[in-house]
Amino acid sequence: MPTIKVVNITPKALSGDTNLDSEPNLAVDPENPLEMVATAFTPDPMNGPLAPVYVSTDGGDTWVLNSVVPGNGALGTGDISVGFGGAGGRLYTGILNGQSGDLQILRAPDITASTPMAVLVDRSGEDQPWVVATTVAANGGSGDRVYIGSNDVAQPGGTATVDVSNDAGTGPAPAGFAPVKLDRHTGTLFDGPPVRIAAHPDGTIYVAFLSVTATGAGALITFDVVMTRDDKGGVGPNPFEDLLDSAVGDVGQRVVTGRKARFNPHQRSLGQERTGADLAVAVDPTDSNSVWIAYCDNLGGTAPTDYVLHSRHSADRGQTWAAARPDVVNGKNPSLAVNSDGLVGLVYQQLVHNQWSTVLELTADGFGTTESHVLHQAPGDVPPAGTQLPYLGDYLRMVTVGKDFYGVFAGNNTPDRANFPVGVTYQRNANFTTHQLLSSDGVTRVPPSIDPFFFHRAA
């Protein structure tokens, strides 16, 4: 029978932490799944020049901070995502430097070492880097093929971009990375922050983005959800042009069109969280024709009332799409992954009656039947967000290695067993009888905040 593990990854030494350590990300070394790296908006506890990542070498049971990321700022980094190559244990990281705000692509040969990560690319005017890494035969040997999605807000029109390197593992900066503009539709005003990538071992690469076609009062945007594809790993001529829209012939198939959402990075639209930039994509490792996507929008036209999570599936390489799971009202932060048996996983967060729940669902039959687990549930107004946004984050992340699902989410850290229906382990000092966090001295009370939580669904 499958087992579920949930771990609060804040180390014991940070028991006094009261930050909103939100917007988490995760990478698991496919060669050694005991080694993994998680990230969040976590500043260096010693206020040093380098921001930290969370590192586990025992399968997620225990975690330590390793400050190796350039540009520590008030939140650590502005954004950060991570991915391991398929062989060799190299970690790739995309960040918005916490001091300069620049997009940086980083590399570490050994994430357990204290050596600062090497900077391979440094560019200004970009948002929300997203890392996917694989290992392929390149340049006569074994090379890391790495994809970094980002939103290049400095360019006019379509801003969705992906940097690709065919052999990122050892070369000097920029290690082969070069940006490719994805959105070439003439009706695009700009693209939303998320650019999401799914890579298949046969070289099929899917990249999805949100193409904004109109803006309106009250931060209302109208957007299309677009899927692009490259059948040669994204490294040949004319990359990401293998999927054309069936209606107009442009590069990229419109999964849905004319969707609406309230998108303002500085306003709360769903409890204490903002909305308008939720997107996830995954490809079946057993069948590159089979691809899944999840996105969110508002219902009600120009006066939306609910934020709704939708999921779609394509069995023909992204050309046609059909509804998959029933819609999730007031759901956000979807992440999709498919394991080596073709089992599809969807994790998301949902606000119901002012309570945030984080839910993991798995299906082998297109959501005809579902294995469902509530990983966490807690009041949506504790702690108060203050001025910080995002609150939980604009995304979370789930990945697979073999049959196993691994993920990370952010949530209220009150030590209450009722908040964790599948159980939980804390590293930081906590009294589950009194539901009280305690500082490093084990006595001083600490108010609730937002922590990153790791989960593992073992086959």
Side-chain angles (χ1 to χ4, degrees):
M1 294 293 293
T3 60
I4 304 286
K5 173 170 65 179
V6 177
V7 180
N8 181 311
I9 70 173
T10 300
K12 188 179 181 69
L14 266 68
S15 290
D17 177 63
T18 59
N19 294 323
L20 302 187
D21 296 290
S22 61
E23 204 146 283
N25 209 275
L26 180 73
V28 180
D29 186 346
E31 231 180 12
N32 175 20
L34 294 178
E35 183 168 289
M36 54 191 70
V37 173
T39 65
F41 284 152
T42 302
D44 179 68
M46 303 302 293
N47 294 318
L50 301 173
V53 296
Y54 299 79
V55 178
S56 176
T57 57
D58 59 7
D61 289 335
T62 61
W63 297 79
V64 297
L65 286 185
N66 190 14
S67 293
V68 293
V69 179
N72 179 59
L75 301 178
T77 61
D79 278 327
I80 180 169
S81 69
V82 284
F84 278 101
R90 288 177 290 270
L91 184 83
Y92 300 90
T93 304
I95 69 169
L96 299 183
N97 185 289
Q99 295 175 5
S100 70
D102 286 359
L103 166 74
Q104 292 183 323
I105 298 174
L106 313 174
R107 180 180 65 205
D110 179 4
I111 196 57
T112 64
S114 59
T115 307
M117 299 188 76
V119 179
L120 304 179
V121 173
D122 188 310
R123 288 201 307 265
S124 61
E126 303 211 27
D127 189 23
Q128 204 175 107
W130 193 265
V131 178
V132 171
T134 60
T135 297
V136 297
N139 300 329
S142 178
D144 290 345
R145 185 175 289 169
V146 181
Y147 307 88
I148 315 284
S150 65
N151 192 29
D152 185 357
V153 296
Q155 65 177 321
T159 52
T161 300
V162 61
D163 275 78
V164 183
S165 172
N166 192 36
D167 191 10
T170 57
F177 282 103
V180 178
K181 181 176 179 177
L182 297 172
D183 191 347
R184 303 162 204 182
H185 182 49
T186 56
T188 299
L189 300 179
F190 57 90
D191 296 318
V195 178
R196 298 294 182 256
I197 304 163
H200 191 275
D202 71 2
T204 302
I205 311 298
Y206 294 96
V207 186
F209 56 89
L210 306 178
S211 174
V212 177
T213 58
T215 60
L220 187 72
I221 61 171
T222 302
F223 64 93
D224 302 337
V225 180
V226 183
M227 180 69 78
T228 62
R229 192 188 77 234
D230 191 282
D231 297 335
K232 303 173 292 299
V235 297
N238 305 314
F240 301 101
E241 294 186 3
D242 290 320
L243 181 59
L244 302 181
D245 188 82
S246 54
V248 297
D250 286 351
V251 171
Q253 175 64 46
R254 271 68 184 161
V255 179
V256 292
T257 61
R259 311 312 296 173
K260 296 183 184 295
R262 298 288 180 187
F263 175 64
N264 186 324
H266 308 293
Q267 288 184 352
R268 309 181 196 284
S269 305
L270 187 62
Q272 296 194 90
E273 192 51 273
R274 62 192 184 189
T275 61
D278 294 282
L279 186 64
V281 61
V283 62
D284 187 339
T286 70
D287 180 7
S288 64
N289 298 314
S290 178
V291 59
W292 299 78
I293 196 167
Y295 66 95
C296 298
D297 61 22
N298 285 104
L299 297 180
T302 58
T305 55
D306 295 315
Y307 199 57
V308 180
L309 189 157
H310 310 273
S311 57
R312 299 285 186 269
H313 175 246
S314 172
D316 59 3
R317 303 181 71 75
Q319 199 72 69
T320 61
W321 294 85
R325 188 206 183 283
D327 294 343
V328 180
V329 176
N330 288 342
K332 76 179 309 289
N333 289 344
S335 187
L336 287 158
V338 187
N339 76 358
S340 58
D341 286 337
L343 185 68
V344 179
L346 169 67
V347 64
Y348 59 88
Q349 296 182 297
Q350 183 180 26
L351 185 67
V352 178
H353 303 305
N354 198 33
Q355 184 176 68
W356 279 111
S357 294
T358 302
V359 181
L360 171 64
E361 297 180 347
L362 303 113
T363 182
D365 59 4
F367 291 97
T369 57
T370 303
E371 173 193 326
S372 183
H373 305 276
V374 176
L375 305 177
H376 178 247
Q377 55 192 16
D381 55 0
V382 179
T387 59
Q388 182 174 329
L389 273 172
Y391 179 64
L392 299 179
D394 295 326
Y395 51 77
L396 47 74
R397 193 161 194 181
M398 179 169 61
V399 298
T400 58
V401 175
K403 296 182 179 182
D404 287 11
F405 291 82
Y406 303 85
V408 65
F409 65 91
N412 170 303
N413 59 12
T414 300
D416 187 342
R417 300 289 179 193
N419 292 358
F420 301 92
V422 299
V424 70
T425 301
Y426 273 45
Q427 298 183 113
R428 63 183 298 166
N429 292 330
N431 188 320
F432 279 86
T433 301
T434 62
H435 306 160
Q436 184 65 57
L437 296 170
L438 302 172
S439 190
S440 299
D441 60 11
V443 176
T444 305
R445 294 186 175 188
V446 176
S449 57
I450 299 295
D451 280 348
F453 291 83
F454 165 77
F455 68 90
H456 177 201
R457 189 266 192 189

